[in-house]
Amino acid sequence: MSAEGQTAAGEAAQRRRRVARVVLLDPQDRILLLHGHEPEDVANHWWFTPGGGLEGDETHEQAALRELMEETGITEVELGPALWQRFCSFPFAGRRWDQDERYFLARTSQTSTQATGLTELERRSVAGARWWTCQELTEAHETVYPTRLAELLRRLLDEGPPSRLETLATEIV
């Protein structure tokens, strides 16, 4: 790669938003997903795992727990290992978001949710939360991110967490 190409690749990596996401499972191995949509178009909607951007010098683990509390009110959590890393790029709320996401396994027995710490943008674009069984997720005809989540969850439940961080395919929407 040329020096210019290396510089451009380095700048793109620096612009990526660092994100921590949570694969939160309850005692019945259901996964919690949030229902999101474009702020001005509720017909453009999808499901996704709780999580968000790192703030200041916080670690991925600290951000995962903070975001989970803000978006769901769930604080009784056993945070497990990092499972997956995903690079993604997508349009949302009038801009393009380039993200480097880490997904952490977490367990909880606290299944009621209350989103009390949402940002203004999240209040306009998050419509609720739902616990999904792996079977329901597999049979869903709705958009879910990451797109292979049903397959990844099935493997996680059958085999346990991967021995090291697994890099998922890049997703560009």
Side-chain angles (χ1 to χ4, degrees):
M1 181 182 295
S2 71
E4 288 175 1
Q6 288 175 337
T7 301
E11 288 172 3
Q14 287 179 346
R15 284 193 308 266
R16 281 192 193 125
R17 180 175 181 240
R18 294 176 35 199
V19 171
R21 297 211 162 277
V22 181
V23 176
L24 184 64
L25 302 178
D26 73 0
Q28 290 78 44
D29 285 336
R30 296 180 304 168
I31 185 172
L32 183 67
L33 297 180
L34 303 179
H35 192 204
H37 58 82
E38 273 294 329
E40 308 304 325
D41 181 7
V42 296
N44 183 1
H45 61 97
W46 56 88
W47 292 89
F48 62 102
T49 59
L54 277 64
E55 294 180 355
D57 62 354
E58 79 184 340
T59 66
H60 282 89
E61 292 85 354
Q62 290 167 332
L65 292 172
R66 177 186 50 76
E67 286 286 340
L68 187 62
M69 187 271 302
E70 291 173 357
E71 295 176 347
T72 70
I74 294 176
T75 56
E76 299 169 20
V77 176
E78 180 184 325
L79 189 65
L83 302 168
W84 314 308
Q85 180 173 19
R86 176 180 80 137
F87 300 100
C88 60
S89 180
F90 55 91
F92 175 69
R95 65 170 273 217
R96 177 149 293 274
W97 299 74
D98 297 314
Q99 298 192 158
D100 176 355
E101 300 179 336
R102 296 270 169 91
Y103 289 78
F104 289 86
L105 175 61
R107 294 247 177 211
T108 189
S109 59
Q110 183 184 346
T111 57
S112 74
T113 62
Q114 186 174 14
T116 58
L118 298 180
T119 65
E120 186 273 331
L121 178 57
E122 289 169 331
R123 283 191 298 277
R124 292 181 20 234
S125 61
V126 177
R130 174 183 165 196
W131 291 96
W132 295 72
T133 66
C134 190
Q135 187 66 34
E136 289 169 333
L137 199 54
T138 299
E139 295 171 355
H141 295 289
E142 301 184 61
T143 303
V144 176
Y145 294 111
T147 56
R148 293 179 40 230
L149 185 57
E151 171 192 335
L152 293 164
L153 179 60
R154 171 53 42 216
R155 192 170 74 221
L156 175 64
L157 294 174
D158 288 348
E159 302 172 12
S163 60
R164 60 184 171 84
L165 187 66
E166 179 182 338
T167 302
L168 304 180
T170 298
E171 291 190 49
I172 300 174
V173 178

